[in-house]
Amino acid sequence: MNEEEFGFETQAIRNQIERTQYLEHSVPLYLTSSFVFEDAEDMRASFAEEKDRNIYSRYSNPNTNEFVNKICKMEGAEAGYAFASGMAAVYSTLGALLKSGDHIVSAGSVFGATHSLFMKYFPKWNIETSYFDINKPETIESFIKPNTKILFAESPTNPAIDIIDLELLGDIAKKHNLILIIDNCFATPYIQQPIKWGAHLVVHSATKLIDGQGRVLGGVTVGNVDLIKEIYLFSRLTGPSLSPFNAWVLSKSLETLAVRVEKHCENALKVAEFLESHPNVNQVKYPFLKSHAQYEIAKKQMSLGGNIVAFEIKGGLEAGRAFLDKIKLCSLSPNLGDTRTIVTHPASTTHSKLSVEERLAVSITDGLVRVSVGLETVKDVIADLEQALA
C-alpha cells in the first residue's frame, strides 16, 4: 500500500523517524543541543546545505522533524517549521516575510496577542495592518493596497466563533498575488485543511488541541516550500525553535488527535444545544448549529464543529463575572483545547483593555462567554453550566 494512501490516523501514528540500532518501537527523545560530524568535508557540506542533516537543535532535531512532518502530512503541506509557542509561529512567519513599508489585510477577529503584534509592534517597523469585518467579506478587496503583501485570518475566530469562507480568501489572494496565511488552531488539521482552499501557509498554536492536555507550549507553520525556507532561515537566526522534549510530546499527542477531537466535538455540540435552549442565554455560536450565521460555510470547509462554544449570557458584564464565580467543575483558565472544560469571559479578562466599540467590532459583547469543551462526561459539564446560569 502506498504511504500517500494511508488515512489520517495511520499517518499520525506511523509517520515516524527512522529507528536507531536499538530497534525501539516508540521514538526516543533526542535531548542534544548539537550533532557531530564524521570529518571536515562532512562538516563543510552540512553547513553549505549540500546535505540534509541535523547540525544544531536550534535549526532542526529528529523530534521536531517528526512533529513537523506529521503536521505537513495532515495539512497537505510541502514543508514546515516548529516553534516554541503559537505566537512564536505567528511572529516568525510574518517577520520572515514582511519588510518595512509592507501592508497586511487581516480579519478583525484575531487572537489578542496577534492583534497587539499588528497594532503595537509592527508599526515600529513601518508595517501597517488594515482590519476587515469577518461578517462583511464583500468588503475585503476594498482594503487591499499596492503594498499589501499578506492576507491573514482565523477561522473559526477567537473568541466569538465566526466563520469565514476560506475558498473566497484563496480566490482573493490569487487574484491580488497575496500570501494567504490561516491560523487553523481552533479547527486542527483533522477538521479543516486551509491549503485545499488556497492558503499558502497554515499556522497552529500546538499548545491547544494538538497537545490537548495542557502540558506543553508549541507552535508550527506549514505550507509552501519556498515560503517555509524564508521562515526557516529567519528562525534559525532569531532562535524561536521548539524544544526536542516538547516536540516529542506533541508528536505523541498527534497519535490520538483524531479520537480526541471526535469526542470534543460530540460533547461541544451537546453543550451548544443545551445552551441554545436555556432561558438565560441570548445567543449561542457553534459552527455546526443551524442557527450559526455561517453554518453553510462551516459545513463546506469543516468536517466537524470544533470544541469551542461561544454564548451570550443575559445581564451583560456583571452576569458574565457572576457566572465565572459560580462555576464548580469547569476550569477558569486562559488556555483552551484541554481535556478539561475551560470557561472564560473575554469582556472582563482577555479583552478587557479594548473599548466597548472595539470589542463589539469583533463580536465580543459584554455577556459573551467562551467554553472550551473538554472530554469529561458531558452531562457533568452541562450540569455545571446549568447551575452557574441559574
Side-chain angles (χ1 to χ4, degrees):
M1 185 176 180
N2 191 313
E3 184 181 323
E4 297 302 319
E5 297 175 358
F6 287 147
F8 185 96
E9 293 88 341
T10 305
Q11 292 280 16
I13 294 168
R14 291 292 179 176
N15 184 9
Q16 295 179 310
I17 55 174
E18 292 183 11
R19 290 189 174 103
T20 71
Q21 69 271 29
Y22 298 110
L23 300 180
E24 65 281 342
H25 193 214
S26 181
V27 172
L29 267 166
Y30 287 85
L31 296 180
T32 179
S33 57
S34 62
F35 301 83
V36 298
F37 303 91
E38 294 178 1
D39 51 36
E41 174 56 22
D42 180 32
M43 196 169 189
R44 183 208 63 79
S46 298
F47 274 89
E49 297 184 10
E50 295 170 9
K51 288 186 173 183
D52 183 17
R53 54 112 75 210
N54 295 300
I55 298 173
Y56 192 63
S57 283
R58 173 157 52 87
Y59 304 173
S60 66
N61 175 283
N63 294 126
T64 55
N65 293 344
E66 180 183 280
F67 170 61
V68 169
N69 288 340
K70 285 186 178 183
I71 296 292
C72 286
K73 293 285 187 183
M74 293 172 172
E75 288 282 9
E78 295 173 342
Y81 189 80
F83 301 88
S85 69
M87 280 311 302
V90 172
Y91 169 71
S92 299
T93 298
L94 295 168
L97 301 176
L98 292 167
K99 66 180 186 304
S100 179
D102 282 343
H103 176 243
I104 304 166
V105 172
S106 171
S109 305
V110 292
F111 180 51
T114 304
H115 171 73
S116 295
L117 193 63
F118 289 165
M119 295 291 104
K120 185 175 181 180
Y121 293 102
F122 278 3
K124 291 170 35 174
W125 301 304
N126 192 31
I127 297 169
E128 181 190 6
T129 301
S130 297
Y131 285 134
F132 65 86
D133 186 338
I134 202 165
N135 294 303
K136 297 178 181 177
E138 69 278 3
T139 67
I140 295 173
E141 289 186 273
S142 68
F143 292 95
I144 297 172
K145 302 178 182 182
N147 62 330
T148 303
K149 187 168 186 180
I150 284 173
L151 182 57
F152 185 94
E154 302 171 5
S155 187
T157 64
N158 182 13
I161 319 303
D162 290 315
I163 304 293
I164 191 160
D165 190 333
L166 298 180
E167 185 176 21
L168 172 66
L169 293 183
D171 290 343
I172 292 172
K174 184 176 181 180
K175 177 181 176 181
H176 295 275
N177 195 29
L178 306 178
I179 300 169
L180 176 58
I181 303 175
I182 299 297
D183 184 330
N184 200 29
C185 171
F186 273 28
T188 79
Y190 184 65
I191 292 176
Q192 177 176 270
Q193 299 87 37
I195 291 171
K196 290 181 179 179
W197 305 105
H200 301 97
L201 295 170
V202 176
V203 180
H204 287 279
S205 171
T207 311
K208 311 304 191 295
L209 280 167
I210 287 177
D211 172 39
Q213 292 162 78
R215 298 170 298 184
V216 299
L217 299 180
V220 62
T221 299
V222 299
N224 175 276
V225 65
D226 293 329
L227 296 175
I228 291 295
K229 184 175 182 180
E230 292 299 315
I231 295 164
Y232 163 72
L233 292 173
F234 178 86
S235 300
R236 65 181 274 176
L237 290 174
T238 54
S241 54
L242 182 65
S243 74
F245 178 78
N246 285 12
W248 180 83
V249 171
L250 292 169
S251 186
K252 297 298 288 184
S253 297
L254 287 174
E255 295 183 11
T256 61
L257 180 67
V259 291
R260 287 188 288 105
V261 169
E262 288 273 358
K263 186 61 177 178
H264 275 295
C265 295
E266 178 187 324
N267 283 357
L269 181 58
K270 290 177 181 177
V271 167
E273 290 170 343
F274 157 73
L275 290 168
E276 199 168 38
S277 65
H278 198 283
N280 288 338
V281 172
N282 281 329
Q283 182 189 24
V284 180
K285 292 175 81 172
Y286 182 70
F288 272 30
L289 282 181
K290 291 184 178 180
S291 56
H292 194 291
Q294 294 100 24
Y295 171 76
E296 293 299 333
I297 297 172
K299 293 288 286 187
K300 179 181 78 168
Q301 64 196 32
M302 301 171 69
S303 61
L304 294 165
N307 82 308
I308 310 294
V309 180
F311 70 94
E312 184 182 6
I313 191 171
K314 290 181 179 178
L317 199 65
E318 291 308 311
R321 290 169 57 89
F323 171 80
L324 293 189
D325 285 338
K326 291 180 181 178
I327 286 292
K328 295 178 180 177
L329 173 71
C330 302
S331 304
L332 309 185
S333 169
N335 197 24
L336 58 93
D338 200 312
T339 52
R340 305 160 188 81
T341 298
I342 296 169
V343 295
T344 57
H345 177 235
S348 67
T349 57
T350 55
H351 293 73
S352 59
K353 293 181 180 178
L354 298 182
S355 68
V356 174
E357 292 75 19
E358 288 173 326
R359 284 194 279 104
L360 290 177
V362 290
S363 305
I364 301 173
T365 62
D366 285 349
L368 184 77
V369 174
R370 186 190 74 189
V371 184
S372 171
V373 182
L375 300 180
E376 305 97 337
T377 304
V378 71
K379 70 178 181 63
D380 297 330
V381 175
I382 291 172
D384 192 31
L385 298 176
E386 185 172 28
Q387 63 83 26
L389 283 166

